[in-house]
Amino acid sequence: MIKAGDVVSSANGTPITSDGSETALGNLVVGVKHQLYNNKWVISGQLNVEANTGNYFEASGLRSGYDTFTLSPKLNIGRGYDNFFVQASTGVDIRFNGYSSNFRASAEAGVKPIKRLWLIGFLDFSTSFENGDVILPEANLATGLYLNDQEYVAYGIKAIVEITEKFGVLANYTSAISGTNVPKRAVIGGGVYHKF
């Protein structure tokens, strides 16, 4: 769900965007992960394919996803203990349709202070290769959604409550230390999960 509030105008006063509210799919992601090594430390390779399923709304300048497909090969490493874990990953997002690709890295650590509660802290880093030449509409540039050459250093916390062995809830808070062409607000999220 995305919303545009104040109308953005050009230097001569002509409106570039209109206010609006849209509900649309973002870029759907499908991935596979394969374990490469497992002896205390676990190493796995991963490949995600991000489909070009986002929408662009010309009048408001709102965009719900990148106008491209993305291939994301990654390498993951981690280790778990009874009440503690650490993990990290690194890889690239290879984008098409004139968008720049980028390098990504992340790390997180979690602790289980009491039964059925996980507290997790994480860092996420992305830097653009600046190898794209996509020309986005002026209205899209004004709203700032899914722009080219996005970069950031983000941090956050998550809490996971295991209600049963197969069902639970989670909440997270994410903010950034720095960012280029990304939203300038913290994100608060939540979810429900079920283990099959």
Side-chain angles (χ1 to χ4, degrees), residues 24-71:
L25 283 176
N27 298 107
L28 297 178
V29 180
V30 176
V32 293
K33 190 182 287 190
H34 181 71
Q35 186 177 50
L36 304 171
Y37 177 81
N38 186 357
N39 186 4
K40 295 185 181 177
W41 288 91
V42 177
I43 300 174
S44 64
Q46 180 176 340
L47 177 64
N48 291 349
V49 178
E50 189 173 308
N52 187 359
T53 51
N55 290 283
Y56 176 63
F57 303 94
E58 192 172 339
S60 63
L62 295 172
R63 185 179 292 280
S64 67
Y66 290 104
D67 183 22
T68 185
F69 280 85
T70 304
L71 296 177

Side-chain angles (χ1 to χ4, degrees), residues 79-81 83-87 108-112 118-121:
R79 183 167 181 180
Y81 303 88
N83 295 313
F84 178 75
F85 76 89
V86 291
Q87 66 182 24
E108 69 178 39
V111 63
K112 194 175 196 179
W118 281 99
L119 298 175
I120 302 163

Side-chain angles (χ1 to χ4, degrees), residues 4-191:
D6 296 335
V7 174
V8 176
S9 298
S10 66
N12 67 5
T14 305
I16 298 171
T17 66
S18 64
D19 61 349
S21 179
E22 306 290 346
T23 301
L25 283 176
N27 298 107
L28 297 178
V29 180
V30 176
V32 293
K33 190 182 287 190
H34 181 71
Q35 186 177 50
L36 304 171
Y37 177 81
N38 186 357
N39 186 4
K40 295 185 181 177
W41 288 91
V42 177
I43 300 174
S44 64
Q46 180 176 340
L47 177 64
N48 291 349
V49 178
E50 189 173 308
N52 187 359
T53 51
N55 290 283
Y56 176 63
F57 303 94
E58 192 172 339
S60 63
L62 295 172
R63 185 179 292 280
S64 67
Y66 290 104
D67 183 22
T68 185
F69 280 85
T70 304
L71 296 177
S72 300
K74 293 182 179 181
L75 188 64
N76 309 299
I77 184 170
R79 183 167 181 180
Y81 303 88
D82 288 339
N83 295 313
F84 178 75
F85 76 89
V86 291
Q87 66 182 24
S89 71
T90 187
V92 294
D93 292 331
I94 302 165
R95 292 200 168 97
F96 304 93
N97 206 17
Y99 282 88
S100 294
S101 298
N102 61 306
F103 171 78
R104 296 194 57 180
S106 64
E108 69 178 39
V111 63
K112 194 175 196 179
I114 60 173
K115 186 177 180 179
R116 299 189 189 266
L117 172 66
W118 281 99
L119 298 175
I120 302 163
F122 62 91
L123 288 171
D124 194 6
F125 168 80
S126 178
T127 187
S128 175
F129 292 136
E130 298 183 5
N131 59 344
D133 57 4
V134 67
I135 298 173
L136 297 172
E138 191 175 14
N140 185 192
L141 296 174
T143 59
L145 296 172
Y146 299 95
L147 301 181
N148 194 31
D149 295 323
Q150 288 190 331
E151 299 180 312
Y152 57 83
V153 178
Y155 67 92
I157 56 172
K158 297 185 241 184
I160 300 173
V161 178
E162 301 168 336
I163 296 172
T164 69
E165 286 187 17
K166 295 192 172 196
F167 176 75
V169 296
L170 58 101
N172 66 285
Y173 170 85
T174 305
S175 191
I177 297 167
S178 65
T180 301
N181 292 335
V182 292
K184 295 181 180 178
R185 298 237 174 172
V187 175
I188 297 173

